[in-house]
Amino acid sequence: MGLAAAAAAAVRPCRRRLLSSATAAAAATVATATPLFPRCPHPHHHLHGRRLPFLASAASQQQQQSGQTAASPATPPIPSDPRAAVSGNLPFFDRVLFPDTFPVETPPPSSAAASAAAAADEEVASALKVREETEAEREAWRLLRRAVVSYCGEPVGTVAAEDPECTETLNYDQVFIRDFVPSALAFLMRGETEIVRNFLLHTLQLQSWEKTVDCYSPGQGLMPASFKIRAVPLDDNNEAFEEVLDPDFGESAIGRVAPVDSGLWWIILLRAYCKITGDNALQERVDVQTGIKLILSLCLSDGFDMFPTLLVTDGSCMIDRRMGIHGHPLEIQALFYSALRCSREMLVMNDGSKNLLRAINNRLSALSFHIREYYWVDMKKINEIYRYKTEEYSHDATNKFNIYPEQIPSWLVDWIPEKGGYLIGNLQPAHMDFRFFSLGNLWAITSSLTTPKQAEGILSLIDEKWDDLIANMPLKICYPAMEDDEWRIITGSDPKNTPWSYHNGGSWPTLLWQFTLACIKMGRPELARRAIAVAEEKLAADKWPEYYDTRSGRFIGKQSRSYQTWTIAGFLTSKMLLENPELASILTCNEDLELLEGCACCLSKKRTRCSRRAAKSHVVE
């Protein structure tokens, strides 16, 4: 049996009959059915209502070192430093994160141990007060749970928006892979991991595994943009139904464009789930390994493109309408790089994966150099572009992409600060998109696609241009907006993407969690706190809208949905990350200097492989 066939046999569509009273006798059979996905046992689950196994490892090591065994448990000491809880003291961690629900159950201690624990509790209580959730946070959790949808009796995701006042649902009643990520992170950091596990496995079974020859079916390995749970009649019987997952690979989307980012987000979320739960058995399953390989094979396939970046069309990512981002948009490159880094950690090393791992390393090296060298702009780089010579036909040409200096837009001349810089939105022959795209820049920091110096420069630019990028609502999806003839030509006069609205310079609160993640990684949490404070003042009062309009983000978007789930989840995730910055490690990647060892580039007249030192000095300076 081949690998794909074995994976298909391991995961089969799950159907649950919804029976009327006339057929209630069959319900007992359904109730005793074997669950589709067996639960992975957690070592401390019998003691604690919520458990994050990757945080439990340190506690287990401490018990082993102190000679404790399973037969003689003891209550671990409560640390005075709350961060010590994240490294192993789970009861304290639960009290910090979950003060109102799921009380911790521990074995009854001895009288001496009880006295010592009471004294420690009093000492901690005097030094540290557990923060109470704000009214906005409590409402956000209520709304997030209301958005949860179930399949076969188990939670599998959250709908895009749950607005009771809106009668036209469109596709906002579907579960989007991209949109669910901040919801999944909020649940993971809350210790509620079941919904994320179910989501990962059910979306995996929707992945396209069969090669096709026509242009109306998804390519092998493609993940759907979204799915919806439908009740389908059985055998023309109106009294019996079955639940089915109905995926959308772009055939119902605006422009009928297949999603490029869904598979990349799926890999990133899988790694986050496995790191926070310690459920490595999940990522080692045959079907999961096959799913990762199919996504990577689709992204790493050879084509006519000469660049290490991923070539995509307009509308294939978060910006899902025509916005002039076709080619090599930064958002896709940052997610692509992050997915490659995550996959390299999770792939099981065997004879079948050696070539794939080699291809991943080669692509990572080339991609990191390409983005760091050719996408980065600051005052120094813009001065170089301003003096570019054109029509250079040689291997050692300075202007490798034949960029004309006249492409430098007038707004950039006065906007770029003396210190700091950013990664441009796109690069193609004779074309540089100088717009600032928030998601691509922030995720480049998170995944270490940028150098540390460049990452600092991006946050410095955001701080310097706060009124342009944050203003009254974080965070501009791109800056500046296209206006007048440029808007009419590039967007096709899109009535939703009018200047400073929606994807054309609108402000999206969901980007707040990625901004928070980048700030934590670079040791600048004060910027995130400042942005969260701005958002918290308005989001609940404005009914958690999808986006805001105008240059300063003062108005609720003219077509914005209320109670947008990823707005709600992004806010919660940002708050939880700030309170527990150690948890940011489930999403971030550290700088890997070895990637530059095998970087094939043309830093000198000789076409040789550059050394790590040469590549670092050439990129960072």
Side-chain angles (χ1 to χ4, degrees):
M1 182 182 293
L3 193 57
V11 179
R12 297 184 181 278
C14 176
R15 291 171 178 162
R16 182 190 183 201
R17 294 189 177 186
L18 307 178
L19 304 177
S20 66
S21 57
T23 55
T29 304
V30 177
T32 58
T34 303
L36 175 63
F37 304 120
R39 296 290 177 270
C40 179
H42 298 293
H44 302 285
H45 184 68
H46 64 288
L47 293 181
H48 306 290
R50 296 178 180 176
R51 190 54 55 234
L52 304 179
F54 95 104
L55 300 176
S57 57
S60 301
Q61 293 175 2
Q62 291 176 0
Q63 290 183 355
Q64 292 176 0
Q65 293 173 358
S66 61
Q68 298 175 6
T69 64
S72 58
T75 303
I78 299 177
S80 59
D81 181 3
R83 296 188 178 187
V86 182
S87 65
N89 193 316
L90 291 172
F92 180 81
F93 182 83
D94 278 352
R95 284 201 294 276
V96 172
L97 280 187
F98 326 120
D100 300 325
T101 58
F102 288 85
V104 176
E105 300 175 3
T106 55
S110 62
S111 57
S115 301
D121 277 334
E122 292 178 0
E123 180 181 353
V124 171
S126 60
L128 177 69
K129 300 295 183 183
V130 176
R131 186 187 69 84
E132 293 185 1
E133 288 183 337
T134 64
E135 183 61 33
E137 289 175 85
R138 287 192 288 270
E139 181 188 11
W141 273 114
R142 179 180 63 81
L143 294 172
L144 182 59
R145 297 190 189 284
R146 188 179 74 179
V148 172
V149 296
S150 296
Y151 174 60
C152 298
E154 297 184 335
V156 293
T158 52
V159 294
E162 183 71 20
D163 186 357
E165 300 176 1
C166 185
T167 57
E168 191 178 14
T169 58
L170 298 179
N171 61 350
Y172 285 88
D173 61 344
Q174 299 186 23
V175 180
F176 284 81
I177 290 183
R178 167 193 319 128
D179 294 34
F180 180 68
V181 171
S183 297
L185 297 176
F187 285 124
L188 284 176
M189 289 188 288
R190 190 93 170 179
E192 301 173 24
T193 61
E194 180 184 14
I195 185 174
V196 183
R197 177 185 172 88
N198 292 339
F199 171 85
L200 289 168
L201 290 172
H202 280 297
T203 50
L204 177 64
Q205 80 179 51
L206 298 177
Q207 185 184 35
S208 176
W209 284 353
E210 298 297 330
K211 292 184 178 180
T212 57
V213 295
D214 59 85
C215 60
Y216 298 103
S217 298
Q220 188 181 31
L222 183 68
M223 280 288 189
S226 62
F227 65 86
K228 185 174 182 177
I229 300 170
R230 300 186 185 276
V232 180
L234 285 174
D235 301 327
D236 297 328
N237 187 345
N238 293 330
E239 294 183 349
F241 297 81
E242 65 178 355
E243 286 184 342
V244 296
L245 296 179
D246 184 10
D248 180 9
F249 289 92
E251 61 266 32
S252 301
I254 294 291
R256 303 301 189 265
V257 178
V260 176
D261 60 343
S262 292
L264 307 178
W265 277 123
W266 185 87
I267 290 175
I268 293 169
L269 180 59
L270 173 65
R271 179 213 186 214
Y273 169 85
C274 293
K275 284 180 69 72
I276 204 169
T277 64
D279 188 3
N280 293 326
L282 177 69
Q283 70 185 34
E284 294 172 0
R285 284 174 44 154
V286 174
D287 53 337
V288 174
Q289 288 286 308
T290 303
I292 297 174
K293 292 176 182 178
L294 288 175
I295 294 172
L296 296 179
S297 297
L298 184 64
C299 294
L300 295 172
S301 58
D302 294 330
F304 291 98
D305 197 23
M306 296 292 289
F307 305 147
T309 44
L310 206 56
L311 179 64
V312 299
T313 187
D314 253 342
S316 60
C317 53
M318 178 182 175
I319 300 177
D320 58 7
R321 300 169 78 96
R322 184 177 173 187
M323 269 285 290
I325 64 167
H326 59 280
H328 307 87
L330 177 64
E331 174 182 333
I332 292 296
Q333 313 317 318
L335 293 174
F336 181 37
Y337 183 83
S338 181
L340 290 176
R341 292 285 304 267
C342 295
S343 299
R344 192 174 62 165
E345 292 182 20
M346 296 186 294
L347 281 174
V348 176
M349 174 64 77
N350 52 44
D351 293 338
S353 62
K354 287 183 179 179
N355 291 335
L356 182 58
L357 288 169
R358 187 180 302 110
I360 290 174
N361 285 325
N362 291 340
R363 193 63 167 264
L364 284 170
S365 295
L367 182 60
S368 61
F369 177 82
H370 185 87
I371 297 296
R372 293 176 176 191
E373 172 64 10
Y374 301 123
Y375 276 62
W376 177 255
V377 292
D378 53 13
M379 181 62 78
K380 177 183 177 182
K381 184 64 176 290
I382 293 175
N383 266 290
E384 293 177 4
I385 298 173
Y386 183 73
R387 295 172 57 84
Y388 266 170
K389 296 179 181 180
T390 58
E391 317 301 328
E392 293 183 306
Y393 298 92
S394 60
H395 293 305
D396 57 348
T398 302
N399 187 2
K400 293 181 174 61
F401 298 93
N402 201 34
I403 303 300
Y404 298 98
E406 289 76 12
Q407 289 187 27
I408 300 176
S410 57
W411 64 265
L412 182 61
V413 175
D414 298 323
W415 192 74
I416 190 75
E418 290 293 334
K419 295 182 179 180
Y422 66 99
L423 299 173
I424 63 173
N426 212 327
L427 175 65
Q428 299 184 73
H431 173 69
M432 296 182 76
D433 186 346
F434 286 97
R435 287 176 293 176
F436 176 90
F437 287 85
S438 295
L439 176 55
N441 275 275
L442 295 176
W443 208 257
I445 296 174
T446 300
S447 63
S448 290
L449 178 56
T450 60
T451 66
K453 184 176 180 180
Q454 289 172 345
E456 293 173 1
I458 293 171
L459 292 184
S460 295
L461 178 137
I462 293 175
D463 190 14
E464 178 75 17
K465 299 299 177 181
W466 190 270
D467 292 339
D468 292 329
L469 302 176
I470 306 293
N472 291 283
M473 178 54 62
L475 194 64
K476 277 281 179 291
I477 192 170
C478 71
Y479 182 90
M482 293 184 292
E483 300 180 282
D484 304 324
D485 289 340
E486 184 183 28
W487 165 74
R488 282 187 286 270
I489 294 171
I490 293 181
T491 73
S493 299
D494 187 347
K496 198 168 186 178
N497 272 333
T498 52
W500 306 108
S501 178
Y502 203 50
H503 296 139
N504 189 16
S507 298
W508 291 70
T510 188
L511 294 173
L512 191 61
W513 73 269
Q514 294 167 89
F515 179 58
T516 302
L517 196 62
C519 290
I520 291 174
K521 184 174 187 289
M522 298 308 299
R524 301 192 63 177
E526 72 282 355
L527 288 179
R529 290 193 184 94
R530 183 180 169 193
I532 292 173
V534 171
E536 193 165 9
E537 290 182 2
K538 300 179 62 178
L539 284 178
D542 294 341
K543 300 181 180 178
W544 308 93
E546 182 181 17
Y547 64 94
Y548 286 76
D549 282 355
T550 74
R551 182 187 289 266
S552 59
R554 294 184 63 189
F555 294 167
I556 299 174
K558 59 180 179 292
Q559 297 188 43
S560 176
R561 290 293 172 119
S562 297
Y563 304 107
Q564 188 78 15
T565 303
W566 70 351
T567 296
I568 297 165
F571 168 74
L572 288 173
T573 299
S574 301
K575 298 279 283 191
M576 297 172 76
L577 282 172
L578 273 184
E579 293 225 352
N580 302 276
E582 297 84 357
L583 296 179
S585 64
I586 67 174
L587 290 161
T588 58
C589 296
N590 295 324
E591 175 80 332
D592 186 352
L593 298 180
E594 292 184 1
L595 287 177
L596 293 176
E597 281 285 0
C599 179
C601 60
C602 302
L603 294 183
S604 62
K605 294 183 179 180
K606 296 182 180 180
R607 302 188 68 184
T608 57
R609 300 175 74 83
C610 67
S611 68
R612 178 171 59 188
R613 182 177 301 177
K616 279 185 61 181
S617 63
H618 191 73
V619 173
V620 177
E621 288 180 356

